[in-house]
Amino acid sequence: MSLRRRITLTICSIIIFLLILLSGFIYTKSASILNQDAETYMQSQLERAQESIDLRIRIHQLETEKLALDARVLEFLKGYVSTSKMNTYLTTLMQKKNVQNKQYMDFFILNTEGIITTSTMPEAMYLDLSTREYFRQSVLTGQTITSDILIARSDESLIVITVSPICNNLGEVIAYAGTAIHAEFLSDTVKDLKLGKTGYFIIVDSNNLILSHPDKSLIATDATNTVFALPERLLSKEQWLQSDAAKKRIITNQNGFQELQLYKKMKSNRWVLIAMLPKYEVHEKSVDLLGYVILIGASVTLGAMLIGIYISNRISTPIVAITEYMNRAVKSNLMLRQSVSDSIKNLTEEDNLLNHETSPLLHPSDEIGNLSRSLKNLKDHFVSTISRFERESEELIKSSQELSSTIEDNSYRTGNFISTLSHDLKTSITLIKGYVKGISSDIIEDPAMQKHFLQEIYNSTIDIEKITCDILDSAYEAQWSQKLHLEAVDAVGFAEQLFEAANHYINHSERSFKGSFQCNSGCLLIDTIKIKRVWNNLLNNAVKFSKKGSLIQVMIAQHEEALTFKIIDTGIGIPDEEKEKIFDMFYRGQNLKTKGYGLGLFISRSILEAHNVSLNFYSEYQKGSTFWFSLPINREDL
């Protein structure tokens, strides 16, 4: 095989090998990130669906409690209104409620023995519900109780019933008000919630009956022997109430496909809300990304072949020329030896004739030696060039790997930042929507309850405002931290102001404050607003990552021509493997459970570097951290 082909083949083989490794790495990494993103997305959708269903059930319960307080109902129980008129009144009342959504099937009143005494449905009159679990629970607890899924005796439709005690002026239970809604009303609640392309939600009641499912034929069927059967059903009611975190598992459906399943208990009874997402949907994006990588790689390989041909031509041409020259030199070796021998003989004879009185001539053997040394030098030069090329290649590959790792790390942290921010905003927005819908439905007439709903709406808007302001301020600082508005300030006054602010903040955060202050005179040439931002960030971190009651020390001391600001906490500390990353944008520790966006230390270091000052720290994991910086003091008068 020719040298040209070997060089071209070597370059292409290296690129193809690297492409295969890069494709495998990208696919594995992207699959991991997409899996995590899918779980986070499902978690947020699951919470959104839970809040929506719980709110609807609570509205249904409030409607039943409102019926229990209706003046006409109390008149009926006292005998002032006939049964026929009461039936008509309940029918009219239910029709008004069904104008927007036809979710109500029946309004009825039960006596204390559980017999229906008035109802919007004639076939429901005088039915005995005393043995029903929801009625017995309401009698025992005196509270409003919502049933599991039931089959209506009138038309065998699927319904959910809520009953609420009716009390007289003395607080004695004299009857029970009841409302029945169609189970499809709850199914429609989660029907419009999107979960990927083919994902869906299921509700399973406390009797393991499917209450909501995209496939209507499965509603009211037993989920015990299906993929929706959950091990938590074996828990007692007390254990069930303590187990409120969402859980995850991978199941195989009846078609043989794997699905990611997240499930969480609801606040309503012992119902369970389940989110299902096919695994192939999660891997679909990774496969698409891999296809793009292969397509780009094929283009790069084709380009590499052309470049390899060009480089091999440039490299091989001088090598071939040198080789041919050396071959010609070898073939003429005998002639060269003969010529050299004749030259030596002639020169010797001339020397004898001139009695060595002529100027000395260079011996031919010296020229041959020069040629040998030149060839040796050429060889050494090639060896040195190849060695230098190998070292530079290794450094280039190492730099590429480090750059790739840095880009992936930054991409992950940026994605995590966006996911956290969107989750915080979605939570507040969902709460606002729920409370606004509760108020706009005109079923909440209690002023205290209305005030509570309005206060919760106000609190959620405050949370959104805080998140927005914090992100905007942080983004501005990250972008413009190099632009300083320097001014000369009194070192003593400024340092005392920061010291007192730290004292006030730490004491009000239920931590113990210990401080020392020593500053004589001089002035500081600084941007006061930005230095205060650095100080507040360090104080906030010391409080955030330490327990209540722990000690936080603040030390401000003047040393020669500098004023040092130091904060020492006894919190969780920083693991060794994370110390090089804590100043990176969006970076947050792997095991941190506190809220944050990973911008505080990045912005603080940027501000101090703009002042030509470094931010230093020392930390021991599980023992605490110390952060400090020093500002130069100008002895001239202000």
Side-chain angles (χ1 to χ4, degrees), residues 81-113:
V81 179
S82 65
T83 300
S84 60
K85 290 184 178 180
M86 194 62 200
N87 291 346
T88 303
Y89 174 76
L90 292 178
T91 301
T92 303
L93 187 63
M94 186 180 71
Q95 289 174 349
K96 290 181 180 179
K97 302 297 180 182
N98 282 340
V99 171
Q100 184 176 3
N101 300 312
K102 294 185 178 181
Q103 71 262 31
Y104 289 102
M105 179 181 179
D106 189 17
F107 279 17
F108 58 91
I109 305 297
L110 298 159
N111 61 21
T112 54
E113 286 77 27

PDB file of all heavy atoms in Angstrom, residues 81-113:
ATOM      1  N   VAL A  81     -92.426  22.823  54.514  1.00  0.00           N
ATOM      2  CA  VAL A  81     -92.444  22.658  53.061  1.00  0.00           C
ATOM      3  C   VAL A  81     -92.747  21.203  52.752  1.00  0.00           C
ATOM      4  O   VAL A  81     -92.168  20.287  53.366  1.00  0.00           O
ATOM      5  CB  VAL A  81     -91.092  23.068  52.436  1.00  0.00           C
ATOM      6  CG1 VAL A  81     -91.137  22.873  50.924  1.00  0.00           C
ATOM      7  CG2 VAL A  81     -90.750  24.515  52.773  1.00  0.00           C
ATOM      8  N   SER A  82     -93.651  20.989  51.786  1.00  0.00           N
ATOM      9  CA  SER A  82     -94.030  19.622  51.423  1.00  0.00           C
ATOM     10  C   SER A  82     -92.925  18.943  50.633  1.00  0.00           C
ATOM     11  O   SER A  82     -92.033  19.600  50.081  1.00  0.00           O
ATOM     12  CB  SER A  82     -95.319  19.641  50.598  1.00  0.00           C
ATOM     13  OG  SER A  82     -95.091  20.296  49.363  1.00  0.00           O
ATOM     14  N   THR A  83     -93.020  17.607  50.541  1.00  0.00           N
ATOM     15  CA  THR A  83     -91.999  16.843  49.825  1.00  0.00           C
ATOM     16  C   THR A  83     -91.989  17.178  48.342  1.00  0.00           C
ATOM     17  O   THR A  83     -90.926  17.327  47.722  1.00  0.00           O
ATOM     18  CB  THR A  83     -92.241  15.335  50.012  1.00  0.00           C
ATOM     19  OG1 THR A  83     -92.187  15.028  51.403  1.00  0.00           O
ATOM     20  CG2 THR A  83     -91.187  14.518  49.273  1.00  0.00           C
ATOM     21  N   SER A  84     -93.138  17.319  47.721  1.00  0.00           N
ATOM     22  CA  SER A  84     -93.199  17.612  46.285  1.00  0.00           C
ATOM     23  C   SER A  84     -92.579  18.962  45.974  1.00  0.00           C
ATOM     24  O   SER A  84     -91.833  19.114  45.001  1.00  0.00           O
ATOM     25  CB  SER A  84     -94.647  17.566  45.805  1.00  0.00           C
ATOM     26  OG  SER A  84     -95.433  18.542  46.501  1.00  0.00           O
ATOM     27  N   LYS A  85     -92.892  19.980  46.815  1.00  0.00           N
ATOM     28  CA  LYS A  85     -92.301  21.304  46.588  1.00  0.00           C
ATOM     29  C   LYS A  85     -90.781  21.269  46.812  1.00  0.00           C
ATOM     30  O   LYS A  85     -90.026  21.950  46.123  1.00  0.00           O
ATOM     31  CB  LYS A  85     -92.952  22.334  47.509  1.00  0.00           C
ATOM     32  CG  LYS A  85     -94.388  22.649  47.140  1.00  0.00           C
ATOM     33  CD  LYS A  85     -94.952  23.754  48.044  1.00  0.00           C
ATOM     34  CE  LYS A  85     -96.400  24.104  47.637  1.00  0.00           C
ATOM     35  NZ  LYS A  85     -96.944  25.175  48.501  1.00  0.00           N
ATOM     36  N   MET A  86     -90.379  20.474  47.782  1.00  0.00           N
ATOM     37  CA  MET A  86     -88.927  20.376  48.046  1.00  0.00           C
ATOM     38  C   MET A  86     -88.211  19.687  46.886  1.00  0.00           C
ATOM     39  O   MET A  86     -87.095  20.080  46.504  1.00  0.00           O
ATOM     40  CB  MET A  86     -88.681  19.609  49.345  1.00  0.00           C
ATOM     41  CG  MET A  86     -87.258  19.754  49.853  1.00  0.00           C
ATOM     42  SD  MET A  86     -86.902  21.478  50.242  1.00  0.00           S
ATOM     43  CE  MET A  86     -85.122  21.419  50.197  1.00  0.00           C
ATOM     44  N   ASN A  87     -88.865  18.658  46.317  1.00  0.00           N
ATOM     45  CA  ASN A  87     -88.266  17.995  45.157  1.00  0.00           C
ATOM     46  C   ASN A  87     -88.108  18.967  43.992  1.00  0.00           C
ATOM     47  O   ASN A  87     -87.075  18.990  43.299  1.00  0.00           O
ATOM     48  CB  ASN A  87     -89.132  16.812  44.714  1.00  0.00           C
ATOM     49  CG  ASN A  87     -89.099  15.669  45.717  1.00  0.00           C
ATOM     50  OD1 ASN A  87     -88.237  15.641  46.601  1.00  0.00           O
ATOM     51  ND2 ASN A  87     -90.041  14.733  45.600  1.00  0.00           N
ATOM     52  N   THR A  88     -89.146  19.785  43.797  1.00  0.00           N
ATOM     53  CA  THR A  88     -89.086  20.789  42.729  1.00  0.00           C
ATOM     54  C   THR A  88     -87.989  21.808  43.004  1.00  0.00           C
ATOM     55  O   THR A  88     -87.239  22.218  42.094  1.00  0.00           O
ATOM     56  CB  THR A  88     -90.436  21.501  42.593  1.00  0.00           C
ATOM     57  OG1 THR A  88     -91.465  20.529  42.350  1.00  0.00           O
ATOM     58  CG2 THR A  88     -90.401  22.507  41.450  1.00  0.00           C
ATOM     59  N   TYR A  89     -87.876  22.232  44.245  1.00  0.00           N
ATOM     60  CA  TYR A  89     -86.849  23.222  44.607  1.00  0.00           C
ATOM     61  C   TYR A  89     -85.431  22.666  44.360  1.00  0.00           C
ATOM     62  O   TYR A  89     -84.565  23.340  43.795  1.00  0.00           O
ATOM     63  CB  TYR A  89     -87.011  23.613  46.074  1.00  0.00           C
ATOM     64  CG  TYR A  89     -85.917  24.515  46.573  1.00  0.00           C
ATOM     65  CD1 TYR A  89     -85.885  25.862  46.234  1.00  0.00           C
ATOM     66  CD2 TYR A  89     -84.890  24.015  47.379  1.00  0.00           C
ATOM     67  CE1 TYR A  89     -84.869  26.687  46.681  1.00  0.00           C
ATOM     68  CE2 TYR A  89     -83.867  24.834  47.830  1.00  0.00           C
ATOM     69  CZ  TYR A  89     -83.865  26.176  47.474  1.00  0.00           C
ATOM     70  OH  TYR A  89     -82.860  26.990  47.921  1.00  0.00           O
ATOM     71  N   LEU A  90     -85.198  21.398  44.789  1.00  0.00           N
ATOM     72  CA  LEU A  90     -83.882  20.784  44.588  1.00  0.00           C
ATOM     73  C   LEU A  90     -83.571  20.620  43.101  1.00  0.00           C
ATOM     74  O   LEU A  90     -82.428  20.804  42.662  1.00  0.00           O
ATOM     75  CB  LEU A  90     -83.815  19.427  45.288  1.00  0.00           C
ATOM     76  CG  LEU A  90     -83.845  19.453  46.821  1.00  0.00           C
ATOM     77  CD1 LEU A  90     -83.824  18.031  47.370  1.00  0.00           C
ATOM     78  CD2 LEU A  90     -82.667  20.246  47.376  1.00  0.00           C
ATOM     79  N   THR A  91     -84.612  20.281  42.295  1.00  0.00           N
ATOM     80  CA  THR A  91     -84.403  20.126  40.857  1.00  0.00           C
ATOM     81  C   THR A  91     -84.010  21.454  40.222  1.00  0.00           C
ATOM     82  O   THR A  91     -83.065  21.531  39.408  1.00  0.00           O
ATOM     83  CB  THR A  91     -85.678  19.593  40.194  1.00  0.00           C
ATOM     84  OG1 THR A  91     -86.014  18.332  40.789  1.00  0.00           O
ATOM     85  CG2 THR A  91     -85.467  19.405  38.687  1.00  0.00           C
ATOM     86  N   THR A  92     -84.721  22.515  40.595  1.00  0.00           N
ATOM     87  CA  THR A  92     -84.392  23.850  40.062  1.00  0.00           C
ATOM     88  C   THR A  92     -82.990  24.260  40.476  1.00  0.00           C
ATOM     89  O   THR A  92     -82.213  24.809  39.672  1.00  0.00           O
ATOM     90  CB  THR A  92     -85.411  24.882  40.560  1.00  0.00           C
ATOM     91  OG1 THR A  92     -86.736  24.466  40.183  1.00  0.00           O
ATOM     92  CG2 THR A  92     -85.107  26.269  39.965  1.00  0.00           C
ATOM     93  N   LEU A  93     -82.651  24.002  41.740  1.00  0.00           N
ATOM     94  CA  LEU A  93     -81.328  24.366  42.242  1.00  0.00           C
ATOM     95  C   LEU A  93     -80.233  23.617  41.495  1.00  0.00           C
ATOM     96  O   LEU A  93     -79.201  24.195  41.116  1.00  0.00           O
ATOM     97  CB  LEU A  93     -81.251  24.068  43.747  1.00  0.00           C
ATOM     98  CG  LEU A  93     -79.988  24.530  44.482  1.00  0.00           C
ATOM     99  CD1 LEU A  93     -79.871  26.056  44.423  1.00  0.00           C
ATOM    100  CD2 LEU A  93     -80.004  24.054  45.927  1.00  0.00           C
ATOM    101  N   MET A  94     -80.434  22.326  41.223  1.00  0.00           N
ATOM    102  CA  MET A  94     -79.424  21.530  40.526  1.00  0.00           C
ATOM    103  C   MET A  94     -79.296  21.959  39.071  1.00  0.00           C
ATOM    104  O   MET A  94     -78.196  22.005  38.512  1.00  0.00           O
ATOM    105  CB  MET A  94     -79.787  20.044  40.601  1.00  0.00           C
ATOM    106  CG  MET A  94     -78.701  19.116  40.028  1.00  0.00           C
ATOM    107  SD  MET A  94     -79.131  17.377  40.120  1.00  0.00           S
ATOM    108  CE  MET A  94     -80.411  17.283  38.883  1.00  0.00           C
ATOM    109  N   GLN A  95     -80.406  22.315  38.443  1.00  0.00           N
ATOM    110  CA  GLN A  95     -80.349  22.758  37.046  1.00  0.00           C
ATOM    111  C   GLN A  95     -79.538  24.034  36.901  1.00  0.00           C
ATOM    112  O   GLN A  95     -78.821  24.226  35.911  1.00  0.00           O
ATOM    113  CB  GLN A  95     -81.772  22.968  36.512  1.00  0.00           C
ATOM    114  CG  GLN A  95     -82.536  21.664  36.294  1.00  0.00           C
ATOM    115  CD  GLN A  95     -83.989  21.892  35.903  1.00  0.00           C
ATOM    116  OE1 GLN A  95     -84.498  23.021  35.987  1.00  0.00           O
ATOM    117  NE2 GLN A  95     -84.665  20.832  35.489  1.00  0.00           N
ATOM    118  N   LYS A  96     -79.648  24.928  37.883  1.00  0.00           N
ATOM    119  CA  LYS A  96     -78.834  26.144  37.855  1.00  0.00           C
ATOM    120  C   LYS A  96     -77.346  25.801  37.943  1.00  0.00           C
ATOM    121  O   LYS A  96     -76.510  26.436  37.286  1.00  0.00           O
ATOM    122  CB  LYS A  96     -79.214  27.061  39.015  1.00  0.00           C
ATOM    123  CG  LYS A  96     -80.587  27.688  38.876  1.00  0.00           C
ATOM    124  CD  LYS A  96     -80.883  28.613  40.070  1.00  0.00           C
ATOM    125  CE  LYS A  96     -82.257  29.247  39.942  1.00  0.00           C
ATOM    126  NZ  LYS A  96     -82.555  30.137  41.105  1.00  0.00           N
ATOM    127  N   LYS A  97     -77.009  24.819  38.762  1.00  0.00           N
ATOM    128  CA  LYS A  97     -75.609  24.415  38.893  1.00  0.00           C
ATOM    129  C   LYS A  97     -75.100  23.702  37.647  1.00  0.00           C
ATOM    130  O   LYS A  97     -73.891  23.697  37.378  1.00  0.00           O
ATOM    131  CB  LYS A  97     -75.439  23.484  40.103  1.00  0.00           C
ATOM    132  CG  LYS A  97     -75.884  24.089  41.420  1.00  0.00           C
ATOM    133  CD  LYS A  97     -75.043  25.303  41.781  1.00  0.00           C
ATOM    134  CE  LYS A  97     -75.479  25.908  43.097  1.00  0.00           C
ATOM    135  NZ  LYS A  97     -74.705  27.129  43.435  1.00  0.00           N
ATOM    136  N   ASN A  98     -76.007  23.119  36.869  1.00  0.00           N
ATOM    137  CA  ASN A  98     -75.599  22.349  35.684  1.00  0.00           C
ATOM    138  C   ASN A  98     -75.619  23.162  34.395  1.00  0.00           C
ATOM    139  O   ASN A  98     -75.477  22.606  33.306  1.00  0.00           O
ATOM    140  CB  ASN A  98     -76.501  21.127  35.510  1.00  0.00           C
ATOM    141  CG  ASN A  98     -76.131  19.995  36.449  1.00  0.00           C
ATOM    142  OD1 ASN A  98     -75.018  19.955  36.964  1.00  0.00           O
ATOM    143  ND2 ASN A  98     -77.068  19.089  36.697  1.00  0.00           N
ATOM    144  N   VAL A  99     -75.821  24.468  34.511  1.00  0.00           N
ATOM    145  CA  VAL A  99     -75.861  25.297  33.305  1.00  0.00           C
ATOM    146  C   VAL A  99     -74.528  25.263  32.579  1.00  0.00           C
ATOM    147  O   VAL A  99     -74.437  25.099  31.363  1.00  0.00           O
ATOM    148  CB  VAL A  99     -76.247  26.755  33.670  1.00  0.00           C
ATOM    149  CG1 VAL A  99     -76.073  27.659  32.454  1.00  0.00           C
ATOM    150  CG2 VAL A  99     -77.677  26.807  34.172  1.00  0.00           C
ATOM    151  N   GLN A 100     -73.427  25.409  33.343  1.00  0.00           N
ATOM    152  CA  GLN A 100     -72.091  25.439  32.727  1.00  0.00           C
ATOM    153  C   GLN A 100     -71.548  24.032  32.504  1.00  0.00           C
ATOM    154  O   GLN A 100     -71.102  23.688  31.416  1.00  0.00           O
ATOM    155  CB  GLN A 100     -71.135  26.234  33.613  1.00  0.00           C
ATOM    156  CG  GLN A 100     -69.753  26.400  33.005  1.00  0.00           C
ATOM    157  CD  GLN A 100     -68.872  27.267  33.863  1.00  0.00           C
ATOM    158  OE1 GLN A 100     -69.271  27.697  34.941  1.00  0.00           O
ATOM    159  NE2 GLN A 100     -67.663  27.523  33.399  1.00  0.00           N
ATOM    160  N   ASN A 101     -71.571  23.215  33.541  1.00  0.00           N
ATOM    161  CA  ASN A 101     -71.101  21.823  33.453  1.00  0.00           C
ATOM    162  C   ASN A 101     -72.192  20.911  33.999  1.00  0.00           C
ATOM    163  O   ASN A 101     -72.623  21.086  35.138  1.00  0.00           O
ATOM    164  CB  ASN A 101     -69.815  21.608  34.261  1.00  0.00           C
ATOM    165  CG  ASN A 101     -68.687  22.473  33.772  1.00  0.00           C
ATOM    166  OD1 ASN A 101     -68.428  22.531  32.596  1.00  0.00           O
ATOM    167  ND2 ASN A 101     -68.019  23.172  34.687  1.00  0.00           N
ATOM    168  N   LYS A 102     -72.594  19.962  33.212  1.00  0.00           N
ATOM    169  CA  LYS A 102     -73.649  19.053  33.672  1.00  0.00           C
ATOM    170  C   LYS A 102     -73.049  17.921  34.488  1.00  0.00           C
ATOM    171  O   LYS A 102     -73.132  16.748  34.118  1.00  0.00           O
ATOM    172  CB  LYS A 102     -74.421  18.518  32.473  1.00  0.00           C
ATOM    173  CG  LYS A 102     -75.213  19.595  31.742  1.00  0.00           C
ATOM    174  CD  LYS A 102     -76.062  19.008  30.642  1.00  0.00           C
ATOM    175  CE  LYS A 102     -76.877  20.098  29.965  1.00  0.00           C
ATOM    176  NZ  LYS A 102     -77.747  19.570  28.884  1.00  0.00           N
ATOM    177  N   GLN A 103     -72.419  18.337  35.630  1.00  0.00           N
ATOM    178  CA  GLN A 103     -71.764  17.309  36.424  1.00  0.00           C
ATOM    179  C   GLN A 103     -72.671  16.705  37.494  1.00  0.00           C
ATOM    180  O   GLN A 103     -72.442  15.590  37.952  1.00  0.00           O
ATOM    181  CB  GLN A 103     -70.503  17.874  37.097  1.00  0.00           C
ATOM    182  CG  GLN A 103     -70.748  18.864  38.222  1.00  0.00           C
ATOM    183  CD  GLN A 103     -70.640  20.295  37.765  1.00  0.00           C
ATOM    184  OE1 GLN A 103     -70.944  20.581  36.620  1.00  0.00           O
ATOM    185  NE2 GLN A 103     -70.225  21.167  38.654  1.00  0.00           N
ATOM    186  N   TYR A 104     -73.707  17.433  37.937  1.00  0.00           N
ATOM    187  CA  TYR A 104     -74.546  16.948  39.033  1.00  0.00           C
ATOM    188  C   TYR A 104     -75.640  16.039  38.507  1.00  0.00           C
ATOM    189  O   TYR A 104     -76.330  16.360  37.525  1.00  0.00           O
ATOM    190  CB  TYR A 104     -75.164  18.112  39.793  1.00  0.00           C
ATOM    191  CG  TYR A 104     -74.156  18.875  40.621  1.00  0.00           C
ATOM    192  CD1 TYR A 104     -73.642  20.085  40.189  1.00  0.00           C
ATOM    193  CD2 TYR A 104     -73.701  18.359  41.833  1.00  0.00           C
ATOM    194  CE1 TYR A 104     -72.709  20.778  40.946  1.00  0.00           C
ATOM    195  CE2 TYR A 104     -72.764  19.040  42.587  1.00  0.00           C
ATOM    196  CZ  TYR A 104     -72.269  20.246  42.139  1.00  0.00           C
ATOM    197  OH  TYR A 104     -71.348  20.928  42.887  1.00  0.00           O
ATOM    198  N   MET A 105     -75.828  14.900  39.200  1.00  0.00           N
ATOM    199  CA  MET A 105     -76.868  13.955  38.825  1.00  0.00           C
ATOM    200  C   MET A 105     -78.056  14.035  39.784  1.00  0.00           C
ATOM    201  O   MET A 105     -79.203  13.818  39.399  1.00  0.00           O
ATOM    202  CB  MET A 105     -76.298  12.533  38.815  1.00  0.00           C
ATOM    203  CG  MET A 105     -77.309  11.468  38.470  1.00  0.00           C
ATOM    204  SD  MET A 105     -76.567   9.825  38.513  1.00  0.00           S
ATOM    205  CE  MET A 105     -78.005   8.834  38.097  1.00  0.00           C
ATOM    206  N   ASP A 106     -77.787  14.374  41.063  1.00  0.00           N
ATOM    207  CA  ASP A 106     -78.877  14.368  42.043  1.00  0.00           C
ATOM    208  C   ASP A 106     -78.516  15.244  43.234  1.00  0.00           C
ATOM    209  O   ASP A 106     -77.345  15.316  43.645  1.00  0.00           O
ATOM    210  CB  ASP A 106     -79.152  12.927  42.509  1.00  0.00           C
ATOM    211  CG  ASP A 106     -80.420  12.835  43.350  1.00  0.00           C
ATOM    212  OD1 ASP A 106     -81.227  13.785  43.305  1.00  0.00           O
ATOM    213  OD2 ASP A 106     -80.602  11.815  44.044  1.00  0.00           O
ATOM    214  N   PHE A 107     -79.537  15.959  43.774  1.00  0.00           N
ATOM    215  CA  PHE A 107     -79.500  16.623  45.075  1.00  0.00           C
ATOM    216  C   PHE A 107     -80.536  15.910  45.940  1.00  0.00           C
ATOM    217  O   PHE A 107     -81.673  15.708  45.502  1.00  0.00           O
ATOM    218  CB  PHE A 107     -79.862  18.108  44.951  1.00  0.00           C
ATOM    219  CG  PHE A 107     -78.733  18.985  44.506  1.00  0.00           C
ATOM    220  CD1 PHE A 107     -77.598  18.450  43.911  1.00  0.00           C
ATOM    221  CD2 PHE A 107     -78.796  20.360  44.668  1.00  0.00           C
ATOM    222  CE1 PHE A 107     -76.554  19.252  43.492  1.00  0.00           C
ATOM    223  CE2 PHE A 107     -77.759  21.180  44.251  1.00  0.00           C
ATOM    224  CZ  PHE A 107     -76.637  20.624  43.659  1.00  0.00           C
ATOM    225  N   PHE A 108     -80.178  15.535  47.162  1.00  0.00           N
ATOM    226  CA  PHE A 108     -81.132  14.802  47.994  1.00  0.00           C
ATOM    227  C   PHE A 108     -80.866  15.078  49.473  1.00  0.00           C
ATOM    228  O   PHE A 108     -79.812  15.577  49.856  1.00  0.00           O
ATOM    229  CB  PHE A 108     -81.063  13.303  47.710  1.00  0.00           C
ATOM    230  CG  PHE A 108     -79.708  12.695  47.920  1.00  0.00           C
ATOM    231  CD1 PHE A 108     -79.344  12.151  49.148  1.00  0.00           C
ATOM    232  CD2 PHE A 108     -78.777  12.661  46.885  1.00  0.00           C
ATOM    233  CE1 PHE A 108     -78.100  11.594  49.347  1.00  0.00           C
ATOM    234  CE2 PHE A 108     -77.517  12.111  47.082  1.00  0.00           C
ATOM    235  CZ  PHE A 108     -77.179  11.575  48.308  1.00  0.00           C
ATOM    236  N   ILE A 109     -81.866  14.739  50.300  1.00  0.00           N
ATOM    237  CA  ILE A 109     -81.783  14.890  51.759  1.00  0.00           C
ATOM    238  C   ILE A 109     -82.035  13.534  52.391  1.00  0.00           C
ATOM    239  O   ILE A 109     -82.976  12.810  52.007  1.00  0.00           O
ATOM    240  CB  ILE A 109     -82.793  15.928  52.284  1.00  0.00           C
ATOM    241  CG1 ILE A 109     -82.613  17.266  51.585  1.00  0.00           C
ATOM    242  CG2 ILE A 109     -82.653  16.088  53.798  1.00  0.00           C
ATOM    243  CD1 ILE A 109     -81.268  17.911  51.825  1.00  0.00           C
ATOM    244  N   LEU A 110     -81.194  13.167  53.372  1.00  0.00           N
ATOM    245  CA  LEU A 110     -81.334  11.907  54.111  1.00  0.00           C
ATOM    246  C   LEU A 110     -81.757  12.219  55.545  1.00  0.00           C
ATOM    247  O   LEU A 110     -81.296  13.217  56.131  1.00  0.00           O
ATOM    248  CB  LEU A 110     -80.003  11.148  54.151  1.00  0.00           C
ATOM    249  CG  LEU A 110     -79.394  10.698  52.820  1.00  0.00           C
ATOM    250  CD1 LEU A 110     -77.915  10.463  52.998  1.00  0.00           C
ATOM    251  CD2 LEU A 110     -80.060   9.432  52.339  1.00  0.00           C
ATOM    252  N   ASN A 111     -82.633  11.369  56.120  1.00  0.00           N
ATOM    253  CA  ASN A 111     -82.895  11.516  57.554  1.00  0.00           C
ATOM    254  C   ASN A 111     -81.783  10.864  58.345  1.00  0.00           C
ATOM    255  O   ASN A 111     -80.843  10.309  57.781  1.00  0.00           O
ATOM    256  CB  ASN A 111     -84.272  10.951  57.924  1.00  0.00           C
ATOM    257  CG  ASN A 111     -84.368   9.451  57.597  1.00  0.00           C
ATOM    258  OD1 ASN A 111     -83.350   8.763  57.479  1.00  0.00           O
ATOM    259  ND2 ASN A 111     -85.582   8.949  57.423  1.00  0.00           N
ATOM    260  N   THR A 112     -81.827  10.909  59.626  1.00  0.00           N
ATOM    261  CA  THR A 112     -80.732  10.398  60.454  1.00  0.00           C
ATOM    262  C   THR A 112     -80.590   8.883  60.354  1.00  0.00           C
ATOM    263  O   THR A 112     -79.560   8.336  60.744  1.00  0.00           O
ATOM    264  CB  THR A 112     -80.954  10.795  61.922  1.00  0.00           C
ATOM    265  OG1 THR A 112     -82.263  10.355  62.337  1.00  0.00           O
ATOM    266  CG2 THR A 112     -80.844  12.307  62.101  1.00  0.00           C
ATOM    267  N   GLU A 113     -81.631   8.190  59.841  1.00  0.00           N
ATOM    268  CA  GLU A 113     -81.533   6.729  59.658  1.00  0.00           C
ATOM    269  C   GLU A 113     -80.960   6.372  58.295  1.00  0.00           C
ATOM    270  O   GLU A 113     -80.787   5.195  57.978  1.00  0.00           O
ATOM    271  CB  GLU A 113     -82.918   6.071  59.800  1.00  0.00           C
ATOM    272  CG  GLU A 113     -83.411   5.996  61.234  1.00  0.00           C
ATOM    273  CD  GLU A 113     -83.911   7.347  61.708  1.00  0.00           C
ATOM    274  OE1 GLU A 113     -84.353   8.146  60.849  1.00  0.00           O
ATOM    275  OE2 GLU A 113     -83.847   7.624  62.927  1.00  0.00           O
TER     276      GLU A 113
END
